[in-house]
Amino acid sequence: MLLGQLNAAASPLSQEQVQKLQGLVAELNPIQQAWVSGYLAANANASALGMPTAGTSVTGDAAVLTILYGSQTGNAKGVATQMKEQAESRGLSAKLVSMSDYKPTALKKEKFLTVVVSTYGEGEPPEDGETLHAFLATKKAPKLDGVKIAVIGLGDSSYEFFCQTAKDFEERLNKLGAESVYQRADLDVDYEEEAATWIQGALDAFEPDLKAQQGNAGAQAAVMPFGAPTPAASQYTKQNPFEAELLAVQKITGRDSTKDVRHVEISLEGSDITYTPGDSLGVYFLNDEALVDEVLELTQIDGSSRVKVANEELSVRDALIEKLELTQSYPGFVEKYATATGTPELLKLVEDKAAMRAYIEPRQIFDVIRQNPAKLDAQILVDCLRKLQARLYSIASSQSEVEDEVHLTVGLVEFDTFDSEHLGGCSGYLARRAEEGCKVKVFSEHNDNFRLPANDETPIIMVGPGTGIAPFRAFLQERDSREAQGKNWLFFGNPHFTQDFLYQVEIQGYLKSGLLSKVDVAFSRDQAEKIYVQDKLRKNSKDIFEWLEAGAHFYVCGDANRMAKDVHQSLVDIIKENTGKNDEDAEQYLKDLRSANRYQKDVY
């Protein structure tokens, strides 16, 4: 029987359960549907036979290594998954749990715990780690005497609060009595090799006690997989990207706009890459050849000199164009370059972290070399630099609409400083140098923390000013293709209506068709008083709260430092205004929404 034929009389499920099941199935591809079918059948058989079912352990919690991950873009989840696989290959029992699915009170039952967590913004935990991170600092946090832990952090050293969340977790767990059995690792953007080494060392530290407590637990093979099924993995990954054709790069802001925003279309034909609305696309780019040649001249290096990058040998010129980071500054480069060149001014910065931050803030790596030229050996220059990292962009399309394409909304990063124009690494490449028809290396990055509701009847509120509109274009395409009946409300903002209304024709079309129930726009510079999306939220306070009370999911995408915080404060004010709650209770209301996956952010 097909799900569409289910009804209350024929099905043992309630109508609400049928709707939830229909919503879930609509999100799955045929391979995933087959997996779920087998999973449920096996689970039912196991229950009937009195065997362990999903999420249970035959060995007891004391002999399980719990691997908790908090992941903003998926990197920490990848490291955590790798650790689970390595543990199981040694015959150790391990379970993988997202911090968003973990009940903080379960900490008191743990004996062996690994924390894999990223940091973003100003030293803040990822969305899925916020609740646990806050809980550990409260009086409710349990004593953890006898618990053995290991912590690994992922971050970006170009930011001031590098891996701060990992440091917080270890410090708070230690204060509660937990013992660190392996030294914490704080890993930079080029983390893969160091993560693999750390995993091996941490498991070496855990293994003796784990095996001693597991004893003869040989029934591990009967345990069903812990947690939700994972999507079928693509062969194309961050380490092995797909060479895709760049189909189109179209400017979608006006001639007189202060912003340069491009709509980018990329073909995925010939790949097995799939994505879900809310996911991101990783894009590798080429550095500007003219600037690379300038670097070679300033360091008096012959561009044909052979160098090694990881295990690959190539010319230094090709390495600088294709393999190495030359735009985003970070302290590690300045320190290595200062040592390699013996530049007194740079060596002074190494001793003063605050001065170092102030120095790199306005400078790209190009600027550091340009302002401190020195003759260098080609390999020494390469060793000063870190590997070029793909840039992640929120996907602006649904595969149900565009099939074997993927669309992006890219804002060109451009600024003038030191008497020259500066461009962002990837945005500059896509907007200024890449030609339609060329190949770009890409991979999809799943984001389980930014998803449409499984139930198509659920209303949603989307706040996406500027390029933050991207994932909501995908959401609307997906809901349109599903013929979802849930109401959709969009808040969009930018400086000027005539210059900066991104995807205006599409949005107006969705409003006319009824897919969009409401649209509120905030064009901040079109009147004397600046108006932003948070102001529009406050103006609709009563209706916003009614939608939330009716079960609406609330989404925010865009700038993390200002916009997202202002929107959050607007929500606090809206809840206080409509309920009479104080600040603390209003914040708790939002925490409850987050715990229910009804308040989700994709911010950067």
Side-chain angles (χ1 to χ4, degrees):
M1 179 182 289
L2 297 175
L3 275 173
Q5 299 170 322
L6 288 174
N7 56 57
S11 169
L13 304 179
S14 68
Q15 188 60 38
E16 181 182 2
Q17 289 172 321
V18 169
Q19 288 175 347
K20 286 182 178 179
L21 188 55
Q22 288 172 327
L24 173 61
V25 171
E27 293 182 1
L28 304 179
N29 61 37
I31 294 173
Q32 292 168 329
Q33 289 178 20
W35 191 99
V36 169
S37 176
Y39 174 86
L40 292 175
N43 210 38
N45 289 339
S47 295
L49 295 171
M51 293 169 61
T53 57
T56 64
S57 169
V58 296
T59 62
D61 286 343
V64 175
L65 174 61
T66 298
I67 304 170
L68 272 179
Y69 67 87
S71 189
Q72 194 69 21
T73 63
N75 289 338
K77 181 181 179 182
V79 172
T81 302
Q82 186 181 347
M83 186 168 193
K84 179 176 185 287
E85 291 169 353
Q86 291 288 324
E88 290 176 343
S89 71
R90 297 179 179 217
L92 303 176
S93 180
K95 64 180 180 182
L96 185 68
V97 195
S98 167
M99 289 182 182
S100 62
D101 298 328
Y102 188 77
K103 291 183 179 179
T105 52
L107 276 171
K108 58 190 175 186
K109 298 179 182 177
E110 303 291 355
K111 291 299 179 187
F112 305 96
L113 179 67
T114 295
V115 173
V116 186
V117 68
S118 61
T119 298
Y120 85 106
E122 298 176 13
E124 297 163 12
E127 287 281 292
D128 52 3
E130 284 183 357
T131 299
L132 183 61
H133 182 262
F135 174 80
L136 289 174
T138 67
K139 293 181 180 179
K140 293 182 180 179
K143 292 294 182 186
L144 299 177
D145 297 328
V147 179
K148 298 183 184 297
I149 67 165
V151 178
I152 181 171
L154 274 61
D156 183 340
S157 64
S158 61
Y159 291 92
E160 182 175 359
F161 299 99
F162 175 55
C163 286
Q164 185 60 48
T165 305
K167 297 171 186 175
D168 291 346
F169 268 103
E170 183 173 58
E171 179 184 351
R172 293 175 187 183
L173 290 168
N174 287 158
K175 280 186 176 179
L176 294 169
E179 174 195 355
S180 294
V181 297
Y182 195 64
Q183 184 175 357
R184 187 190 74 245
D186 299 330
L187 304 188
D188 211 339
V189 291
D190 185 12
Y191 62 86
E192 286 89 352
E193 289 184 14
E194 290 181 79
T197 301
W198 184 90
I199 287 171
Q200 183 175 342
L203 289 176
D204 286 345
F206 279 121
E207 186 168 3
D209 287 336
L210 266 170
K211 283 197 168 176
Q213 291 200 27
Q214 282 177 200
N216 297 318
Q220 186 181 346
V223 181
M224 295 292 290
F226 185 91
T230 54
S234 168
Q235 64 178 306
Y236 297 107
T237 62
K238 181 179 181 180
Q239 292 75 34
N240 179 39
F242 174 67
E243 285 201 356
E245 181 183 354
L246 183 62
L247 297 175
V249 180
Q250 177 187 359
K251 188 178 181 185
I252 54 175
T253 43
R255 179 185 303 172
D256 298 322
S257 175
T258 57
K259 299 183 175 185
D260 185 338
V261 178
R262 306 294 176 112
H263 173 74
V264 177
E265 298 183 359
I266 296 171
S267 172
L268 298 177
E269 186 175 0
S271 78
D272 60 353
I273 294 175
T274 60
Y275 59 87
T276 301
D279 288 343
S280 297
L281 189 77
V283 182
Y284 286 100
F285 59 95
L286 302 179
N287 286 312
D288 189 332
E289 292 187 22
L291 291 174
V292 165
D293 288 337
E294 184 183 356
V295 166
L296 292 171
E297 184 178 343
L298 290 167
T299 53
Q300 300 177 47
I301 293 173
D302 181 346
S304 63
S305 300
R306 305 298 287 178
V307 294
K308 277 194 172 183
V309 179
N311 296 320
E312 185 177 359
E313 184 178 312
L314 68 171
S315 76
V316 65
R317 187 175 188 272
D318 287 345
L320 291 172
I321 292 171
E322 302 172 16
K323 304 290 184 180
L324 299 166
E325 181 63 63
L326 288 173
T327 47
Q328 190 178 48
S329 294
Y330 56 99
F333 168 73
V334 178
E335 292 173 13
K336 290 178 181 178
Y337 190 77
T339 301
T341 61
T343 307
E345 292 79 4
L346 295 183
L347 288 169
K348 286 181 184 177
L349 292 173
V350 176
E351 306 301 321
D352 187 339
K353 287 187 177 181
M356 174 73 83
R357 290 287 166 198
Y359 178 80
I360 67 174
E361 177 65 29
R363 289 173 172 81
Q364 294 183 329
I365 287 175
F366 288 119
D367 295 311
V368 178
I369 297 173
R370 185 180 288 139
Q371 293 167 14
N372 302 277
K375 184 175 181 179
L376 278 180
D377 176 78
Q379 188 64 53
I380 288 176
L381 175 62
V382 166
D383 292 342
C384 286
L385 298 163
R386 67 186 183 190
K387 285 200 299 187
L388 185 147
Q389 298 296 309
R391 303 305 196 248
L392 291 176
Y393 293 99
S394 301
I395 291 174
S397 56
S398 164
Q399 277 191 301
S400 60
E401 171 90 8
V402 303
E403 298 181 345
D404 59 0
E405 293 181 10
V406 60
H407 296 175
L408 307 175
T409 310
V410 178
L412 174 64
V413 177
E414 53 181 336
F415 58 97
D416 289 320
T417 186
F418 309 119
D419 300 320
S420 64
E421 180 188 53
H422 290 59
L423 300 177
C426 193
S427 66
Y429 174 68
L430 290 172
R432 294 283 185 86
R433 301 191 300 278
E435 297 181 357
E436 292 180 1
C438 76
K439 297 292 187 180
V440 287
K441 294 179 180 180
V442 302
F443 60 93
S444 63
E445 191 77 78
H446 294 290
N447 183 0
D448 296 330
N449 301 318
F450 204 75
R451 286 283 183 258
L452 277 168
N455 185 349
D456 283 346
E457 304 288 329
T458 302
I460 64 173
I461 301 169
M462 302 165 282
V463 182
T467 56
I469 189 68
F472 303 132
R473 182 176 185 262
F475 278 19
L476 290 168
Q477 287 183 358
E478 180 74 11
R479 283 205 139 186
D480 192 35
S481 71
R482 286 193 204 173
E483 300 182 355
Q485 297 303 303
K487 295 189 296 181
N488 305 296
W489 189 353
L490 175 67
F491 286 82
F492 175 74
N494 240 348
H496 297 286
F497 171 80
T498 57
Q499 301 294 320
D500 305 305
F501 197 164
L502 308 183
Y503 303 114
Q504 178 184 353
V505 173
E506 292 181 24
I507 290 170
Q508 290 175 332
Y510 284 139
L511 192 60
K512 186 176 181 180
S513 73
L515 178 72
L516 268 170
S517 310
K518 300 182 74 172
V519 174
D520 277 88
V521 293
F523 293 103
S524 58
R525 306 301 196 274
D526 279 350
Q527 59 285 311
E529 182 183 358
K530 293 177 183 176
I531 298 175
Y532 299 103
V533 286
Q534 59 266 28
D535 302 314
K536 290 288 185 176
L537 288 169
R538 286 192 174 93
K539 191 174 180 180
N540 289 275
S541 172
K542 185 172 181 292
D543 287 345
I544 291 282
F545 186 71
E546 286 179 357
W547 278 51
L548 291 177
E549 287 292 282
H553 287 216
F554 191 96
Y555 301 91
V556 185
C557 181
D559 173 58
N561 292 327
R562 296 180 62 180
M563 181 277 298
K565 291 178 180 178
D566 290 339
V567 167
H568 182 88
Q569 186 57 52
S570 294
L571 283 176
V572 170
D573 294 341
I574 286 167
I575 293 160
K576 288 165 61 180
E577 180 182 328
N578 287 277
T579 63
K581 294 180 184 290
N582 59 25
D583 281 323
E584 185 178 349
D585 290 341
E587 289 282 4
Q588 186 59 50
Y589 184 100
L590 291 178
K591 286 180 182 177
D592 292 342
L593 287 185
R594 272 203 298 272
S595 296
N597 294 320
R598 289 180 50 208
Y599 177 23
Q600 299 183 30
K601 291 185 278 189
D602 177 11
V603 296
Y604 38 85

